[in-house]
Amino acid sequence: MLQKPQSGGLPVPQAEREKDGGHEGETQALTVSQEEALRPLLQESAKEDLGAVREEGAAASAPTRKGARASAAKALVRRRASRRLNRTVAEMVQFLLVKDKKKCPITRFEMVKYVIGDLKDLFPEIIAGAAEHLRDVFGFELKQLDCKHHTYILINKLKPLEEEEEEDLGDGPRLGLLMMILGLIYMKGNSAREAQVWEMLRRLGVHPSKYHFLFGYPKRLIMEDFVQLRYLNYRRVPSTNPPEYEFSWGPRSNLEISKMKVLGFVAKLHKKEPQHWPAQYREALADEADRARAEATMRARTRGRARASARASLRRW
């Protein structure tokens, strides 16, 4: 016998309902037991997924670490190559200066054999760097005599900074050395420790206490000539124990050599414009203005004295 459905749906036979109701508890029990059975599997699956994520993260970070190590290694190689190239350029400068003392042409074969060695593929860069240092520091120009046989000579091109300096300092290389020291002092804040000056000379291949064919004994030249001629001041640094000493511009350098000239010299060595160092550039501009005012005042005084002398002469007549 059919019963009327309570919810408006299709009628369901009572026997079927009883039949289904008899299995409902078993279905629920089966469902619970299945969940209990599947729980370890689900947990293992979650662990596997987490492990997979970690492995993917490790796999992703491994190339990053390898790339960083590779980049660091390449940077180290470049720095070492740059240091070796700079050292070879310095050695080439000294070699050319020594050969020039004999006043005979210098061949490319000699340069490669005694200095360049396995860097012969970099000959153009090395010879260009050496030529630049010879010109800017020592006042020599490297000229190629014969393109076929690749022979070179050095020509002294550095003119004295002032006419008065020619008598006291003599040749171009000594003036170049003085300019290097004045430049170091200026860039260090208008004073440089004695150790910094000696270290700069060593980088140029000039050992302070060893005889040099251009400078004699460099330390003696600096301490006796440059200091005694008042191009450099040399004094003890206060409150230093053990005592330390420093160099600064002497009164004669302040009178005869402008800061802008020295800054231009330094900028040329570094292949930059003087404005690359804003603080030093502003100071050099102020120094130029002070010099211009002092020169104008001196000219005015000179003209005043000349007119006064002329009037006195007219009165006597």
Side-chain angles (χ1 to χ4, degrees):
M1 180 175 179
L2 297 175
Q3 293 182 352
K4 184 178 177 179
Q6 297 178 358
S7 60
L10 293 176
V12 179
Q14 184 176 3
E16 291 184 6
R17 286 203 310 273
E18 292 175 355
K19 183 179 179 181
D20 293 339
H23 291 284
E24 185 176 356
E26 295 180 2
T27 303
Q28 293 177 352
L30 178 61
T31 303
V32 172
S33 63
Q34 286 176 343
E35 289 179 357
E36 292 295 333
L38 289 175
R39 186 172 292 117
L41 297 177
L42 293 173
Q43 292 176 352
E44 291 180 3
S45 177
K47 291 180 180 179
E48 290 177 358
D49 292 341
L50 181 59
V53 170
R54 291 176 176 171
E55 289 178 0
E56 289 178 1
S61 62
T64 303
R65 290 195 296 269
K66 290 181 180 178
R69 287 196 295 268
S71 299
K74 290 180 181 178
L76 179 60
V77 170
R78 285 195 297 269
R79 287 196 299 270
R80 288 177 176 174
S82 177
R83 286 197 295 266
R84 187 183 179 193
L85 180 63
N86 292 336
R87 186 169 60 250
T88 305
V89 168
E91 292 172 355
M92 177 62 72
V93 169
Q94 296 301 312
F95 176 77
L96 293 172
L97 290 172
V98 170
K99 294 291 290 184
D100 182 67
K101 296 297 289 184
K102 299 179 181 179
K103 298 302 177 186
C104 60
I106 309 157
T107 65
R108 173 174 174 165
F109 174 80
E110 292 175 305
M111 298 180 197
V112 173
K113 180 179 180 180
Y114 296 110
V115 180
I116 296 178
D118 60 346
L119 297 180
K120 60 183 179 181
D121 291 339
L122 298 177
F123 180 84
E125 290 85 350
I126 294 171
I127 200 67
E132 184 176 0
H133 278 74
L134 286 166
R135 180 181 64 250
D136 296 338
V137 178
F138 297 102
F140 286 103
E141 185 174 354
L142 184 64
K143 287 284 189 180
Q144 188 172 15
L145 282 181
D146 188 352
C147 296
K148 182 179 179 180
H149 298 94
H150 302 287
T151 56
Y152 300 81
I153 61 170
L154 293 182
I155 300 174
N156 192 339
K157 301 291 287 184
L158 185 63
K159 296 179 181 179
L161 298 172
E162 301 289 345
E163 291 181 2
E164 294 84 357
E165 294 177 339
E166 187 172 7
E167 297 178 359
D168 295 328
L169 295 180
D171 56 5
R174 292 171 56 149
L175 291 175
L177 180 63
L178 176 62
M179 288 291 285
M180 289 289 294
I181 298 172
L182 293 176
L184 176 68
I185 292 170
Y186 185 48
M187 303 308 288
K188 291 290 185 182
N190 294 315
S191 65
R193 297 294 176 98
E194 181 180 7
Q196 294 174 327
V197 174
W198 304 147
E199 178 60 26
M200 180 196 69
L201 294 181
R202 291 188 187 96
R203 290 200 302 268
L204 293 172
V206 179
H207 294 275
S209 300
K210 293 184 179 180
Y211 179 82
H212 191 274
F213 62 94
L214 285 177
F215 310 121
Y217 290 95
K219 188 173 182 178
R220 185 184 302 171
L221 169 66
I222 293 169
M223 301 301 296
E224 295 183 3
D225 292 359
F226 293 169
V227 173
Q228 289 186 9
L229 291 173
R230 309 303 301 279
Y231 285 103
L232 295 175
N233 289 330
Y234 180 75
R235 66 182 186 120
R236 179 177 175 176
V237 180
S239 304
T240 55
N241 188 20
E244 296 183 19
Y245 294 84
E246 66 181 6
F247 290 98
S248 60
W249 283 35
R252 190 165 182 177
S253 291
N254 285 314
L255 286 173
E256 298 178 355
I257 308 170
S258 71
K259 292 181 177 179
M260 187 62 75
K261 184 186 293 290
V262 171
L263 182 59
F265 181 85
V266 173
K268 194 173 183 181
L269 289 178
H270 290 273
K271 298 180 181 179
K272 298 183 183 298
E273 295 296 325
Q275 294 87 336
H276 181 76
W277 299 273
Q280 286 83 359
Y281 185 68
R282 288 193 295 269
E283 185 178 350
L285 286 176
D287 178 66
E288 291 288 291
D290 291 341
R291 288 175 180 274
R293 284 193 294 269
E295 187 176 350
T297 302
M298 184 63 66
R299 284 199 301 265
R301 290 176 180 175
T302 302
R303 287 195 298 267
R305 285 195 295 266
R307 285 195 295 267
S309 178
R311 285 195 297 267
S313 299
L314 287 175
R315 291 193 195 99
R316 284 196 300 268
W317 284 99

